[in-house]
Amino acid sequence: MPQESQKGQRHPHTVEWLVEVILRLPSDETVPANTPGYNVYLTQRDHWLGWLQPSNNTGTYPRRSGNDRGAQHVYGQIGEPLMLLWLASAAGVPGELLDAAKEAAAAEANPRSKCGKIRAIIPWSEVVKALE
């Protein structure tokens, strides 16, 4: 169901929708505690769920939320490449796009730059197509 922002913009996919979808996706393998890229989580699935639910107090920093911040906005804000790659993979984005995104991200040193490269190859529209 579309979510309308205070500015009148329509978001066809809410954050709540994304949480429900992620809860249905298969989890990735657990990693040892303190593995880089996992914050306080042992899977990227849990990383997503913690990030999407800041009331859990498990995120790296406090985030604002509101009606004008749908799932697409969230996808654009993620700064951890492993989160983006897991979501794309678990959603069923085609392997050739995943491989290209990994290769492009590997050429960058900064995590946010890596995420930009991943999103350039796997935009939100590709993730939604795979999820639906």
Side-chain angles (χ1 to χ4, degrees):
M1 171 184 319
Q3 171 182 341
E4 189 167 337
S5 76
Q6 295 169 349
K7 298 174 187 169
Q9 298 170 326
R10 303 289 288 175
H11 294 288
H13 300 101
T14 65
V15 172
E16 291 81 9
W17 171 85
L18 185 56
V19 169
E20 290 174 14
V21 166
I22 289 172
L23 284 168
R24 291 191 302 265
L25 292 175
S27 184
D28 47 325
E29 295 291 321
T30 59
V31 298
N34 302 315
T35 298
Y38 287 78
N39 193 356
V40 298
Y41 311 101
L42 300 180
T43 68
Q44 288 304 326
R45 182 176 179 266
D46 288 344
H47 199 166
W48 267 100
L49 294 171
W51 206 87
L52 290 170
Q53 300 166 327
S55 60
N56 291 345
N57 295 319
T58 56
T60 305
Y61 59 91
R63 289 171 300 285
R64 293 181 301 160
S65 60
N67 290 339
D68 61 338
R69 301 198 182 232
Q72 181 175 358
H73 175 83
V74 169
Y75 185 75
Q77 295 300 304
I78 296 296
E80 172 50 60
L82 295 174
M83 289 176 72
L84 296 177
L85 292 170
W86 172 79
L87 180 62
S89 176
V93 167
E96 61 272 9
L97 288 179
L98 285 167
D99 292 342
K102 288 176 189 175
E103 184 176 332
E108 299 293 329
N110 179 289
R112 294 207 63 64
S113 296
K114 288 177 183 286
C115 288
K117 295 290 187 179
I118 293 166
R119 283 188 286 264
I121 294 168
I122 307 173
W124 175 244
S125 59
E126 281 293 327
V127 175
V128 168
K129 185 167 73 172
L131 289 171
E132 293 181 333

